[in-house]
Amino acid sequence: MKHPTRVNHPPEVKLPEGNRSLVAPIYQSVKFEFETVEDTERGYRGEGPGFHYSRNSNPTVRQLELLVAEMQGREDALATGSGVAAIGNCLLSLTKQGDHVLCFIETYRPTRYQVRRLLARFGVSHTMISIDDLDAAERILAERPTRLVVFESPTNPVNKIADIARITALARRHGALTALDNTFAGLHNHGQYEVDIFLHSLTKFASGHGDVMGGAVIARPDLIKSMRTDFITLGAVLDPHAAFLIMRGLRTYFVRRREQCTSALRIARMLESHPQVVRVCYPGLESHPGHALAVAQMKDFGSIVTFDIHGGAEAGRRFADTVQLFAKAASLGSTESLVMAPQMLRPRDLTPEQVKLSGITDATIRLSIGIEDADDLEADLAQALERAAGA
Ligand SMILES: Cc1ncc(COP(=O)(O)O)c(C=O)c1O
């Protein structure tokens, strides 16, 4: 074989019987070959085992799908290239012209966009209310046949806690599916509820290091099966190398999460007693209106601490410009701490009335707590609060 041929057909290295790698190899391959045309045809039809094209399915991505499904207490999942791809594909796949979706003001902004702008273009209507008003949800579900209820808990950014048992019971009674964006809560929370579909940004706690994007739709096999072809043909798939990195991140998921949540509670308590702070929105605090529900629903309270600062938006800006260990950046759930100033949190697509209901004010600041030393984080926050007050 001449070298130009050889480089395209390199020597195969197979592990001998009884020898295995502890970390599964990355199947960084678009194509997979079967022995015969007959097996290839079967593969194309999805009738036999095996893989043929990585947009349809890839062993490394499949390993991640099975892992996150199990962590969430379900049997199957579809991985996507980002969290919003998981949400968007799911919304498109589960709805059709004439359907109605119930969604909430306290939802990640791109999700609101997808429901209000994207689905609307395809004749899917929606009603958007506050997650605090489940009586209204009950009325709407009773009045209007509804395909899907899309919600979050804890909500972004002010950590409202949705009553998951009530929402799922209401939806079931009225024949609607529930889709819970569980990104804030994490893959280890809420699996005990009769949620039909869990949506996740794997970019956040799952990968945990802020260096890879991914998403997942996790549900029972019949629902995943009904969505699979749509997902394949929409093509927002996860790359095998990204799947590998997310699985590597998941190895330390529980350790990271424990550290983050412990520090978050400590910081929330410190902020609550600080004279420069108006209110703290952290479900681990007894003062939080959703505390009892969070205790009942969750295994921890998360690592997002949101608070309002005295002095409004300008004090918030000074605070965010002054902290040293918190990067002014979007996203959350990584090993490093982050801050979002009021100017970064403004929900520009909501009416003033809706903003009021959302609980976000001109003075709201969101912190994502990382795994740095909690003493250092506290000291940094304290000095920034002093400076924000003093200026
Ligand atoms: C609650 C929630 N859902 C979904 C997403 C979207 O995830 P991604 O950035 O991976 O598309 C985010 C991102 O911040 C989020 O906070």
Side-chain angles (χ1 to χ4, degrees):
M1 211 184 282
K2 296 199 171 138
H3 285 171
T5 311
R6 193 55 172 160
V7 291
N8 284 287
H9 300 270
E12 255 192 87
V13 178
K14 280 193 180 149
L15 295 183
E17 190 68 31
N19 182 207
R20 68 183 182 98
S21 64
L22 283 191
V23 177
I26 310 172
Y27 285 90
Q28 193 72 48
S29 180
V30 171
K31 293 149 283 179
F32 298 84
E33 191 187 20
F34 290 93
E35 279 292 323
T36 64
V37 172
E38 196 182 328
D39 286 349
T40 310
E41 259 197 297
R42 210 174 300 135
Y44 280 8
R45 289 198 299 265
E47 287 167 2
F51 300 84
H52 65 95
Y53 191 56
S54 279
R55 179 158 49 72
N56 294 34
S57 189
N58 170 285
T60 310
V61 176
R62 189 65 189 141
Q63 191 178 25
L64 172 69
E65 288 174 345
L66 294 173
L67 177 58
V68 294
E70 189 175 329
M71 285 176 76
Q72 188 62 88
R74 295 296 186 271
E75 283 148 291
D76 211 349
L78 289 161
T80 53
S82 69
V84 291
I87 300 164
N89 281 6
C90 180
L91 292 174
L92 283 174
S93 191
L94 289 178
T95 58
K96 61 178 186 322
Q97 188 176 26
D99 280 345
H100 173 252
V101 172
L102 178 60
C103 64
F104 298 91
I105 290 164
E106 301 89 343
T107 307
Y108 184 52
R109 183 162 35 185
T111 309
R112 289 201 298 263
Y113 175 87
Q114 290 182 358
V115 173
R116 301 170 77 197
R117 307 271 172 249
L118 225 150
L119 289 190
R121 294 213 293 268
F122 300 102
V124 177
S125 62
H126 73 275
T127 308
M128 192 170 81
I129 57 172
S130 169
I131 198 78
D132 294 327
D133 194 359
L134 292 190
D135 289 344
E138 187 160 7
R139 265 195 320 276
I140 291 156
L141 288 169
E143 279 164 14
R144 275 191 88 167
T146 298
R147 171 67 173 154
L148 205 53
V149 180
V150 186
F151 69 111
E152 289 173 26
S153 187
T155 64
N156 183 10
V158 299
N159 277 322
K160 291 187 186 180
I161 303 296
D163 186 340
I164 301 174
R166 185 164 175 211
I167 293 171
T168 52
L170 279 175
R172 255 160 212 257
R173 192 179 318 143
H174 297 288
L177 291 171
T178 43
L180 168 58
D181 182 338
N182 215 25
T183 301
F184 265 47
L187 290 153
H188 61 300
N189 271 309
H190 300 153
Q192 73 274 31
Y193 290 98
E194 289 192 288
V195 172
D196 294 299
I197 301 127
F198 285 101
L199 303 164
H200 280 275
S201 166
L202 302 178
T203 314
K204 310 290 174 344
F205 293 99
S207 62
H209 294 76
D211 52 8
V212 61
M213 301 201 76
V217 177
I218 305 174
R220 48 180 200 272
D222 63 304
L223 273 171
I224 293 294
K225 191 165 178 237
S226 76
M227 289 186 269
R228 188 179 292 282
T229 308
D230 287 355
F231 273 59
I232 289 171
T233 42
L234 285 165
V237 290
L238 189 68
D239 178 79
H241 194 254
F244 167 82
L245 285 174
I246 294 167
M247 278 188 282
R248 189 167 72 166
L250 284 171
R251 284 172 179 256
T252 55
Y253 174 86
F254 290 97
V255 183
R256 282 186 280 109
R257 180 86 186 184
R258 195 163 55 235
E259 280 298 306
Q260 288 169 309
C261 294
T262 304
S263 296
L265 180 58
R266 189 176 143 183
I267 285 166
R269 289 204 197 288
M270 176 279 242
L271 290 172
E272 196 174 36
S273 64
H274 198 285
Q276 188 60 17
V277 171
V278 180
R279 63 159 186 170
V280 182
C281 310
Y282 185 70
L285 294 176
E286 293 74 11
S287 58
H288 188 282
H291 177 66
L293 202 49
V295 169
Q297 288 187 174
M298 299 176 72
K299 297 191 175 98
D300 56 40
F301 304 111
S303 69
I304 308 302
V305 180
T306 299
F307 68 100
D308 279 16
I309 192 167
H310 275 297
E314 279 317 303
R317 182 199 299 276
R318 283 197 298 275
F319 171 85
D321 278 337
T322 310
V323 273
Q324 300 289 310
L325 298 175
F326 293 73
K328 288 179 285 299
S331 201
L332 54 107
S334 292
T335 54
E336 78 284 354
S337 294
L338 303 170
V339 59
M340 287 188 84
Q343 293 76 6
M344 299 159 76
L345 287 173
R346 268 180 202 142
R348 292 185 183 85
D349 61 320
L350 298 180
T351 64
E353 180 58 28
Q354 288 169 331
V355 173
K356 214 163 157 207
L357 290 172
S358 79
I360 302 170
T361 76
D362 278 349
T364 302
I365 295 170
R366 190 186 85 178
L367 303 175
S368 174
I369 307 301
I371 60 168
E372 301 94 335
D373 187 274
D375 288 342
D376 287 341
L377 294 179
E378 250 191 52
D380 190 27
L381 293 171
Q383 67 80 20
L385 284 169
E386 296 297 314
R387 296 251 213 121

mmCIF file of all heavy atoms in Angstrom, residues 5 12 26 36 125 142 144 178 184 190 193 225 246 249 265 307-308 314 318 362 370 372 390:
data_model
loop_
_atom_site.group_PDB
_atom_site.id
_atom_site.type_symbol
_atom_site.label_atom_id
_atom_site.label_comp_id
_atom_site.label_asym_id
_atom_site.label_seq_id
_atom_site.Cartn_x
_atom_site.Cartn_y
_atom_site.Cartn_z
ATOM 1 N N THR A 5 -2.391 6.072 0.174
ATOM 2 C CA THR A 5 -3.476 5.130 0.477
ATOM 3 C C THR A 5 -3.449 4.790 1.967
ATOM 4 O O THR A 5 -4.483 4.793 2.635
ATOM 5 C CB THR A 5 -3.294 3.832 -0.348
ATOM 6 O OG1 THR A 5 -3.075 4.186 -1.698
ATOM 7 C CG2 THR A 5 -4.504 2.923 -0.221
ATOM 8 N N GLU A 12 -4.940 -0.917 12.124
ATOM 9 C CA GLU A 12 -5.953 -1.018 13.184
ATOM 10 C C GLU A 12 -5.282 -1.488 14.456
ATOM 11 O O GLU A 12 -4.443 -2.393 14.418
ATOM 12 C CB GLU A 12 -7.013 -2.049 12.796
ATOM 13 C CG GLU A 12 -8.327 -1.422 12.363
ATOM 14 C CD GLU A 12 -9.430 -2.443 12.255
ATOM 15 O OE1 GLU A 12 -10.084 -2.703 13.274
ATOM 16 O OE2 GLU A 12 -9.630 -2.990 11.147
ATOM 17 N N ILE A 26 -13.374 7.823 22.447
ATOM 18 C CA ILE A 26 -14.267 8.761 21.764
ATOM 19 C C ILE A 26 -14.445 8.252 20.335
ATOM 20 O O ILE A 26 -13.458 8.105 19.612
ATOM 21 C CB ILE A 26 -13.672 10.180 21.696
ATOM 22 C CG1 ILE A 26 -13.185 10.622 23.074
ATOM 23 C CG2 ILE A 26 -14.687 11.159 21.139
ATOM 24 C CD1 ILE A 26 -12.414 11.946 23.039
ATOM 25 N N THR A 36 -21.828 -6.084 5.389
ATOM 26 C CA THR A 36 -22.503 -6.372 4.119
ATOM 27 C C THR A 36 -23.497 -5.252 3.777
ATOM 28 O O THR A 36 -23.895 -4.472 4.656
ATOM 29 C CB THR A 36 -23.319 -7.687 4.219
ATOM 30 O OG1 THR A 36 -24.349 -7.478 5.202
ATOM 31 C CG2 THR A 36 -22.447 -8.862 4.641
ATOM 32 N N SER A 125 -50.328 28.591 19.464
ATOM 33 C CA SER A 125 -50.598 29.729 20.345
ATOM 34 C C SER A 125 -50.102 29.419 21.759
ATOM 35 O O SER A 125 -49.763 28.279 22.075
ATOM 36 C CB SER A 125 -52.090 30.037 20.359
ATOM 37 O OG SER A 125 -52.779 28.914 20.884
ATOM 38 N N ALA A 142 -58.288 24.247 32.136
ATOM 39 C CA ALA A 142 -59.682 23.783 32.088
ATOM 40 C C ALA A 142 -60.410 24.364 30.880
ATOM 41 O O ALA A 142 -61.265 23.725 30.274
ATOM 42 C CB ALA A 142 -60.402 24.169 33.380
ATOM 43 N N ARG A 144 -58.914 25.702 27.945
ATOM 44 C CA ARG A 144 -58.309 25.542 26.599
ATOM 45 C C ARG A 144 -57.560 24.235 26.486
ATOM 46 O O ARG A 144 -56.658 23.971 27.284
ATOM 47 C CB ARG A 144 -57.278 26.663 26.361
ATOM 48 C CG ARG A 144 -57.917 27.900 25.835
ATOM 49 C CD ARG A 144 -56.853 28.840 25.366
ATOM 50 N NE ARG A 144 -56.490 28.585 23.963
ATOM 51 C CZ ARG A 144 -55.767 29.424 23.252
ATOM 52 N NH1 ARG A 144 -55.319 30.527 23.776
ATOM 53 N NH2 ARG A 144 -55.486 29.153 21.993
ATOM 54 N N THR A 178 -46.077 17.772 30.297
ATOM 55 C CA THR A 178 -45.270 18.752 31.030
ATOM 56 C C THR A 178 -43.810 18.651 30.594
ATOM 57 O O THR A 178 -43.264 17.555 30.475
ATOM 58 C CB THR A 178 -45.331 18.506 32.554
ATOM 59 O OG1 THR A 178 -45.209 17.112 32.799
ATOM 60 C CG2 THR A 178 -46.608 19.035 33.151
ATOM 61 N N PHE A 184 -31.373 24.420 36.314
ATOM 62 C CA PHE A 184 -30.975 24.984 37.614
ATOM 63 C C PHE A 184 -30.934 23.900 38.685
ATOM 64 O O PHE A 184 -30.042 23.876 39.517
ATOM 65 C CB PHE A 184 -31.975 26.077 38.039
ATOM 66 C CG PHE A 184 -31.561 27.472 37.681
ATOM 67 C CD1 PHE A 184 -31.099 27.773 36.407
ATOM 68 C CD2 PHE A 184 -31.640 28.498 38.610
ATOM 69 C CE1 PHE A 184 -30.725 29.056 36.064
ATOM 70 C CE2 PHE A 184 -31.261 29.794 38.292
ATOM 71 C CZ PHE A 184 -30.804 30.076 37.020
ATOM 72 N N HIS A 190 -35.721 16.098 41.130
ATOM 73 C CA HIS A 190 -37.075 16.111 40.557
ATOM 74 C C HIS A 190 -37.473 14.851 39.782
ATOM 75 O O HIS A 190 -38.580 14.808 39.239
ATOM 76 C CB HIS A 190 -37.288 17.340 39.637
ATOM 77 C CG HIS A 190 -37.121 18.649 40.359
ATOM 78 N ND1 HIS A 190 -36.728 19.793 39.716
ATOM 79 C CD2 HIS A 190 -37.278 18.984 41.652
ATOM 80 C CE1 HIS A 190 -36.661 20.791 40.584
ATOM 81 N NE2 HIS A 190 -36.986 20.324 41.779
ATOM 82 N N TYR A 193 -40.982 13.104 40.304
ATOM 83 C CA TYR A 193 -42.268 13.683 39.873
ATOM 84 C C TYR A 193 -42.686 13.169 38.504
ATOM 85 O O TYR A 193 -41.853 12.737 37.715
ATOM 86 C CB TYR A 193 -42.181 15.217 39.871
ATOM 87 C CG TYR A 193 -42.092 15.759 41.272
ATOM 88 C CD1 TYR A 193 -40.868 16.112 41.823
ATOM 89 C CD2 TYR A 193 -43.228 15.847 42.075
ATOM 90 C CE1 TYR A 193 -40.778 16.569 43.131
ATOM 91 C CE2 TYR A 193 -43.147 16.299 43.387
ATOM 92 C CZ TYR A 193 -41.923 16.647 43.904
ATOM 93 O OH TYR A 193 -41.834 17.079 45.207
ATOM 94 N N LYS A 225 -38.927 8.226 21.333
ATOM 95 C CA LYS A 225 -39.076 7.603 19.999
ATOM 96 C C LYS A 225 -39.868 8.529 19.075
ATOM 97 O O LYS A 225 -39.530 8.721 17.903
ATOM 98 C CB LYS A 225 -39.782 6.250 20.161
ATOM 99 C CG LYS A 225 -39.767 5.411 18.924
ATOM 100 C CD LYS A 225 -40.135 3.962 19.226
ATOM 101 C CE LYS A 225 -40.148 3.185 17.928
ATOM 102 N NZ LYS A 225 -41.402 2.533 17.646
ATOM 103 N N ILE A 246 -18.408 16.219 28.334
ATOM 104 C CA ILE A 246 -19.513 16.322 29.302
ATOM 105 C C ILE A 246 -19.479 15.116 30.253
ATOM 106 O O ILE A 246 -19.650 15.267 31.466
ATOM 107 C CB ILE A 246 -20.873 16.443 28.572
ATOM 108 C CG1 ILE A 246 -20.932 17.768 27.801
ATOM 109 C CG2 ILE A 246 -22.029 16.350 29.562
ATOM 110 C CD1 ILE A 246 -22.071 17.879 26.807
ATOM 111 N N GLY A 249 -16.880 15.694 32.727
ATOM 112 C CA GLY A 249 -17.394 16.624 33.732
ATOM 113 C C GLY A 249 -18.316 15.924 34.726
ATOM 114 O O GLY A 249 -18.263 16.178 35.924
ATOM 115 N N LEU A 265 -25.184 28.479 50.175
ATOM 116 C CA LEU A 265 -26.007 28.721 51.372
ATOM 117 C C LEU A 265 -25.275 29.670 52.321
ATOM 118 O O LEU A 265 -25.865 30.604 52.866
ATOM 119 C CB LEU A 265 -26.340 27.390 52.063
ATOM 120 C CG LEU A 265 -27.198 27.494 53.320
ATOM 121 C CD1 LEU A 265 -28.541 28.182 53.023
ATOM 122 C CD2 LEU A 265 -27.473 26.108 53.925
ATOM 123 N N PHE A 307 -29.702 38.452 44.588
ATOM 124 C CA PHE A 307 -30.060 39.423 45.638
ATOM 125 C C PHE A 307 -30.266 40.811 45.034
ATOM 126 O O PHE A 307 -29.854 41.078 43.911
ATOM 127 C CB PHE A 307 -28.988 39.455 46.737
ATOM 128 C CG PHE A 307 -27.663 40.030 46.314
ATOM 129 C CD1 PHE A 307 -27.334 41.350 46.630
ATOM 130 C CD2 PHE A 307 -26.731 39.268 45.616
ATOM 131 C CE1 PHE A 307 -26.103 41.896 46.257
ATOM 132 C CE2 PHE A 307 -25.506 39.803 45.232
ATOM 133 C CZ PHE A 307 -25.198 41.116 45.554
ATOM 134 N N ASP A 308 -30.954 41.654 45.806
ATOM 135 C CA ASP A 308 -31.128 43.056 45.415
ATOM 136 C C ASP A 308 -30.222 43.906 46.293
ATOM 137 O O ASP A 308 -30.148 43.696 47.511
ATOM 138 C CB ASP A 308 -32.585 43.495 45.615
ATOM 139 C CG ASP A 308 -33.464 43.058 44.454
ATOM 140 O OD1 ASP A 308 -33.030 42.188 43.682
ATOM 141 O OD2 ASP A 308 -34.594 43.586 44.346
ATOM 142 N N GLU A 314 -27.272 51.398 39.598
ATOM 143 C CA GLU A 314 -25.897 51.933 39.584
ATOM 144 C C GLU A 314 -25.043 51.282 40.668
ATOM 145 O O GLU A 314 -23.861 50.984 40.444
ATOM 146 C CB GLU A 314 -25.902 53.466 39.699
ATOM 147 C CG GLU A 314 -26.186 54.136 38.365
ATOM 148 C CD GLU A 314 -25.417 53.502 37.184
ATOM 149 O OE1 GLU A 314 -24.179 53.443 37.220
ATOM 150 O OE2 GLU A 314 -26.064 53.030 36.220
ATOM 151 N N ARG A 318 -21.659 49.078 40.091
ATOM 152 C CA ARG A 318 -20.398 49.270 40.840
ATOM 153 C C ARG A 318 -19.976 47.964 41.505
ATOM 154 O O ARG A 318 -18.808 47.584 41.472
ATOM 155 C CB ARG A 318 -20.584 50.358 41.910
ATOM 156 C CG ARG A 318 -20.582 51.779 41.369
ATOM 157 C CD ARG A 318 -20.364 52.793 42.470
ATOM 158 N NE ARG A 318 -21.428 52.774 43.477
ATOM 159 C CZ ARG A 318 -22.575 53.440 43.386
ATOM 160 N NH1 ARG A 318 -22.820 54.186 42.337
ATOM 161 N NH2 ARG A 318 -23.469 53.375 44.349
ATOM 162 N N ASP A 362 -34.631 46.550 39.242
ATOM 163 C CA ASP A 362 -33.463 47.268 38.713
ATOM 164 C C ASP A 362 -32.222 47.023 39.555
ATOM 165 O O ASP A 362 -31.117 47.413 39.157
ATOM 166 C CB ASP A 362 -33.743 48.777 38.701
ATOM 167 C CG ASP A 362 -34.544 49.157 37.479
ATOM 168 O OD1 ASP A 362 -34.675 48.302 36.583
ATOM 169 O OD2 ASP A 362 -35.043 50.295 37.445
ATOM 170 N N GLY A 370 -19.077 29.170 42.428
ATOM 171 C CA GLY A 370 -18.180 28.115 41.946
ATOM 172 C C GLY A 370 -17.595 27.297 43.087
ATOM 173 O O GLY A 370 -18.176 27.233 44.177
ATOM 174 N N GLU A 372 -14.455 27.818 44.325
ATOM 175 C CA GLU A 372 -13.336 28.484 44.993
ATOM 176 C C GLU A 372 -13.531 28.384 46.506
ATOM 177 O O GLU A 372 -14.610 28.036 46.977
ATOM 178 C CB GLU A 372 -13.282 29.977 44.592
ATOM 179 C CG GLU A 372 -13.118 30.233 43.099
ATOM 180 C CD GLU A 372 -14.457 30.442 42.378
ATOM 181 O OE1 GLU A 372 -15.503 29.937 42.869
ATOM 182 O OE2 GLU A 372 -14.453 31.107 41.328
ATOM 183 N N GLY A 390 -20.242 52.842 49.338
ATOM 184 C CA GLY A 390 -19.457 54.039 49.651
ATOM 185 C C GLY A 390 -19.346 55.031 48.513
ATOM 186 O O GLY A 390 -19.128 56.213 48.744
#
